């Protein structure tokens, strides 16, 4: 069941025949992205803003099918801010930081995902995926109008792929017949059932969990607070679990755990779904069904995300269960990681080996997401008597004992991966705070002019706190400079100085820390910049 508002409002890039389809010789492109979902379009925008010519081939025309992903994390919003579309997402989305966990009808405990001050963006917003895609595409159109070299072709389905030594040949089918595209680089962002992955004969290994969940997007006016509510064993879904999230436009996302051995067609019957929702909300609450679907948990990943000149990103590379909001958020972080590296190699500022670090860093992140997602699913759906006994004992304790609450797993929510063992990491200093160590995503903080992250761009930056530095270069890559003063006791000092009085950070274009020192050392920084550019791989 697909809501009418998604059928009519999101035809973002309708099919148009191009001259290339009638040419005798296949045209050559720099980067071709296969798939026009949130990951593919975000990657196109990021590359286009870096002035890298990019072609997007999508087998549809940008039509959203239901709300799908709805929780977008602080890190995703910070990436969107860098690309110029974060504000539109926050304005449309529902901001939330607080969650509550219930057992039966009792609240066991609550939690705040962003308990500290000093961040521009909230822990999460709830925003249906089509609206996320719409914000990205609207920003992309602005970039195109400003000269960004981005082209989108809807209803261009890739039907064949032939990787060569110095390019990739693609067969493309359209309403006007087939044609061919040659590309220096290809990124497959074509989803969990990736046709590109299948065409290349590549594996996708993982685990299917024996459980099903019903998603019901419900339109209603309700006075529930803007929080994430999760129930274990509620009276309206006895023996199972349920989740409630608010979305924009008076839409509420409800997830009902169904169990494994179900009649999917019967469970999707609108009358049956309405009965479930009515049992949850009460018979006097008026509502309409907006979108309904059933999903089965799966956690899977490719072994390698790079295959020569072909890369895999988002669900085409890895898939996790929905609880924890790790799927689309992880895919956007793939984009953040790959775009600057492709740019540096295409522009001749870094060796091809830099692209191998995409595999090293994002496979690590995916494995971390899959581990957390699998643990959540095992807690939600215990498969043995002992597992269920443990789960119930934890829930018994959590209502009264604070220490047990960390053991309750209703979905560990997405946080950015730290690339602790990345081959791009340089030196560290023990006096500086753990949270901003090499490999970590930069932590926001208020500064004299506003927010720290707003002052950084997609170049390598030397961040100097309470000290002076000079720009350094390696080859044709030169650092930009950002100097800040941090008063003792300030959040900037807490997050970036720790026990030190001064600090120098080398920041990557994706706003991850590459290396850090307590004073300026030109030779050490040049060496660290060379490492961060993949020259030591």
């Amino acid at each position: 069941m697909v809501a009418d508002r998604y059928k009519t409002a999101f035809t973002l890039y309708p099919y148009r025949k191009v001259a290339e389809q009638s040419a005798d010789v296949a045209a050559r492109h720099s980067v071709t992205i296969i798939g026009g979902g949130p990951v593919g379009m975000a990657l196109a925008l990021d590359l286009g803003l870096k002035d890298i010519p990019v072609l997007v081939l999508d087998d549809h025309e940008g039509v959203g099918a239901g709300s799908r992903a709805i929780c977008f994390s602080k890190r995703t919003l910070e990436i969107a801010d860098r690309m110029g579309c974060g504000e539109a997402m926050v304005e449309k989305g529902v901001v939330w930081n607080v969650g509550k966990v219930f057992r039966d009808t009792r609240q066991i405990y609550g939690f705040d995902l962003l308990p500290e001050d000093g961040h521009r963006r909230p822990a999460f917003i709830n925003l249906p995926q089509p609206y996320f895609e719409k914000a990205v595409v609207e920003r992309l159109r602005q970039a195109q109008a400003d000269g960004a070299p981005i082209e989108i072709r809807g209803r261009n389905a890739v039907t064949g792929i032939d990787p060569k030594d110095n390019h990739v040949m693609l067969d493309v089918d359209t309403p006007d017949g087939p044609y061919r595209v040659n590309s220096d680089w290809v990124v497959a962002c074509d989803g969990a059932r990736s046709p590109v992955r299948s065409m290349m004969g590549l594996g996708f290994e993982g685990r299917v969990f024996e459980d099903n969940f019903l998603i019901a997007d419900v339109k209603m006016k309700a006075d529930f607070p803007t929080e994430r509510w999760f129930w274990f064993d509620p009276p309206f879904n006895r023996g199972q679990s349920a989740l409630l999230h608010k979305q924009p436009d008076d839409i509420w996302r409800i997830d009902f755990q169904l169990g494994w051995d179900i009649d999917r067609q019967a469970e999707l019957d609108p009358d049956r779904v309405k009965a479930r929702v009515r049992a949850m909300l009460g018979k006097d609450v008026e509502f309409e069904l907006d979108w309904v679907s059933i999903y089965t948990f799966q956690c899977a990943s490719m072994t390698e995300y790079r295959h020569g000149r072909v890369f895999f990103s988002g669900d085409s590379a890895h898939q996790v269960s929905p609880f924890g909001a790790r799927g689309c958020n992880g895919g956007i972080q793939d984009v953040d990681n790959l775009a600057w590296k492709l740019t540096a190699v295409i522009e001749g500022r870094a060796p091809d080996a830099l692209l191998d670090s995409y595999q090293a860093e994002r496979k690590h992140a995916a494995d971390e997401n899959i581990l957390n997602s699998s643990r959540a699913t095992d807690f939600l759906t215990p498969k043995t008597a002992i597992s269920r006994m443990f789960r119930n004992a934890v829930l018994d304790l959590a209502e009264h004992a604070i220490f047990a609450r960390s053991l309750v797993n209703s979905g560990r929510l997405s946080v950015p991966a730290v690339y602790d063992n990345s081959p791009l990491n340089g030196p560290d200093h023990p006096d500086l705070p753990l949270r901003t160590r090499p490999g970590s995503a930069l932590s926001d903080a208020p500064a004299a002019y506003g927010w720290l992250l707003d002052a950084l761009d997609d170049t390598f930056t030397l961040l100097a706190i309470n000290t002076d530095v000079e720009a350094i270069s390696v080859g044709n890559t030169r650092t930009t400079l950002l100097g800040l003063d941090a008063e003792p006791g300030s959040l900037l000092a807490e997050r970036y100085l720790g026990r030190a009085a001064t600090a120098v950070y080398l920041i990557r274009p994706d706003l991850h820390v590459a290396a850090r020192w307590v004073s300026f050392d030109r030779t050490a920084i040049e060496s660290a910049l060379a490492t961060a550019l993949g020259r030591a791989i």
Side-chain angles (χ1 to χ4, degrees):
M1 175 180 173
V2 179
D4 287 342
R5 61 198 173 102
Y6 297 129
K7 292 179 181 177
T8 59
F10 296 101
T11 302
L12 298 175
Y13 32 92
Y15 171 74
R16 294 183 180 89
K17 186 175 181 179
V18 297
E20 192 176 315
Q21 292 172 240
S22 303
D24 294 331
V25 178
R28 184 75 169 253
H29 294 266
S30 179
V31 179
T32 299
I33 297 168
I34 302 172
V39 174
M41 299 311 284
L43 180 59
L45 174 59
D46 205 355
L47 288 170
L49 291 172
K50 293 173 170 62
D51 208 32
I52 299 299
V54 59
L55 169 67
V56 180
L57 302 175
D58 188 48
D59 57 357
H60 292 86
E61 295 177 299
V63 179
S67 63
R68 296 171 290 168
I70 63 166
C71 292
F72 293 95
S73 70
K74 178 176 177 289
R75 179 63 181 150
T76 294
L77 295 175
E78 291 167 350
I79 295 168
D81 281 336
R82 180 175 56 76
M83 295 189 289
C85 49
E87 191 64 32
M89 294 172 184
V90 174
E91 287 180 358
K92 181 65 178 177
V94 174
V95 173
W96 67 279
N97 293 315
V98 173
K100 291 178 181 175
V101 177
F102 299 85
R103 188 181 190 191
D104 198 349
T105 59
R106 305 183 312 280
Q107 179 180 332
I108 298 176
Y109 69 95
F111 56 87
D112 188 340
L113 291 169
L114 196 63
E116 62 180 14
D117 294 327
H119 295 269
R120 179 185 179 193
R121 292 307 184 197
F124 281 89
I125 63 167
N126 283 354
L127 182 71
Q129 183 175 316
Y131 287 110
F132 180 91
E133 295 179 37
K134 183 171 182 285
V136 172
V137 173
E138 287 180 346
R139 175 68 183 99
L140 188 151
R141 285 176 175 155
Q142 292 173 0
Q144 286 175 315
D146 293 335
I150 307 169
E151 182 182 0
I152 307 170
R153 298 179 188 173
R155 294 180 70 187
N156 275 240
V158 174
T159 58
I161 183 168
D162 185 9
K164 306 292 187 181
D165 289 340
N166 66 349
H167 72 283
V168 181
M169 183 181 295
L170 301 173
D171 294 313
V172 185
D173 194 26
T174 76
D176 289 304
Y179 72 107
R180 279 189 165 176
V181 167
N182 287 330
S183 188
D184 295 338
W185 305 94
V186 169
V187 186
C189 305
D190 53 344
R193 295 182 177 89
S194 173
V196 174
R197 195 176 61 232
S198 297
M199 285 183 272
M200 292 182 66
L202 300 173
F204 197 53
E205 299 178 356
R207 174 184 174 195
V208 176
F209 292 87
E210 294 185 359
D211 212 335
N212 295 284
F213 282 76
L214 174 74
I215 297 175
D217 279 359
V218 173
K219 187 173 181 65
M220 65 177 177
K221 292 188 181 295
D223 58 359
F224 299 116
T226 306
E227 299 170 347
R228 179 187 193 264
W229 284 8
F230 190 96
W231 286 266
F232 290 97
D233 192 27
F236 54 84
N237 198 30
R238 189 59 77 189
Q240 307 286 3
S241 63
L243 176 67
L244 177 69
H245 264 299
K246 184 179 181 180
Q247 300 183 61
D249 304 325
D250 294 323
I251 301 294
W252 295 78
R253 159 69 62 85
I254 306 173
D255 290 44
F256 295 100
Q257 184 181 7
L258 300 179
W260 181 239
D261 189 15
I262 64 168
D263 183 334
R264 295 175 71 93
Q265 200 60 40
E267 292 293 349
L268 287 170
D269 180 82
D271 289 337
R272 187 160 184 159
V273 176
K274 288 177 182 177
R276 286 189 178 277
V277 175
R278 196 170 291 112
M280 177 184 188
L281 301 177
K283 62 181 181 179
D284 297 329
V285 176
E286 295 184 4
F287 65 88
E288 299 175 11
L289 294 182
D290 189 70
W291 182 63
V292 175
S293 182
I294 290 177
Y295 63 84
T296 302
F297 280 168
Q298 180 175 350
C299 291
S301 175
M302 299 177 69
T303 303
E304 300 288 335
Y305 297 167
R306 181 187 184 185
H307 293 265
R309 290 179 171 268
V310 181
F311 299 84
F312 291 81
S313 291
D315 284 351
S316 69
H318 45 75
Q319 186 180 9
V320 294
S321 59
F323 287 120
R326 295 173 178 273
C328 194
N329 287 300
I332 298 301
Q333 290 170 49
D334 289 350
V335 167
D336 196 40
N337 190 282
L338 181 58
W340 76 267
K341 295 175 180 178
L342 262 177
T343 300
V345 171
I346 290 170
E347 293 179 344
R349 295 185 292 104
D352 178 270
L354 176 64
L355 296 172
D356 292 334
S357 69
Y358 170 72
Q359 159 71 20
E361 294 181 341
R362 293 313 299 163
K363 184 62 164 62
H364 162 75
D367 289 345
E368 183 178 280
N369 280 333
I370 287 172
L371 177 62
N372 280 284
S373 186
S374 299
R375 286 173 174 171
T377 306
D378 285 335
F379 193 86
L380 294 175
T381 61
K383 296 300 183 292
T384 66
I386 291 176
S387 295
R388 185 170 294 277
M389 185 182 302
F390 170 77
R391 198 273 305 273
N392 291 342
V394 168
L395 295 176
D396 288 339
L397 282 169
E399 188 169 359
H400 307 289
I402 293 175
F403 81 89
R405 294 171 185 173
S406 63
L407 300 175
V408 177
N409 197 334
S410 62
R412 300 277 190 260
L413 288 155
S414 175
V415 295
V418 179
Y419 308 138
D420 278 316
N421 297 312
S422 171
L424 306 187
N425 287 354
D428 192 11
H429 195 284
D431 286 346
L432 299 172
L434 181 66
R435 67 187 290 173
T436 45
R437 65 191 183 275
S440 64
L442 213 61
S443 182
D444 206 0
Y449 53 81
W451 296 105
L452 172 61
L453 296 188
D454 288 345
L456 296 158
D457 55 24
D458 56 359
T459 61
F460 278 94
T461 301
L462 277 182
L463 170 62
I465 302 176
N466 293 349
T467 190
D468 294 325
V469 298
E470 300 172 2
I472 59 116
S473 299
V474 170
N476 54 357
T477 296
R478 183 176 177 84
T479 61
T480 56
L481 302 178
L482 176 61
L484 296 174
D485 293 327
E487 296 293 330
S490 67
L491 291 175
L492 187 64
E494 176 188 316
R495 293 169 191 174
Y496 287 92
L497 289 179
R499 298 190 302 269
T502 61
V504 177
Y505 284 74
L506 177 62
I507 310 300
R508 300 178 355 178
D510 59 357
L511 304 190
H512 278 253
V513 177
R516 58 185 185 171
W517 306 262
V518 294
S519 61
F520 179 73
D521 183 328
R522 174 175 291 277
T523 301
I525 294 172
E526 287 175 346
S527 176
L529 178 56
T531 297
L533 284 166
R535 294 172 182 252
I537 296 177

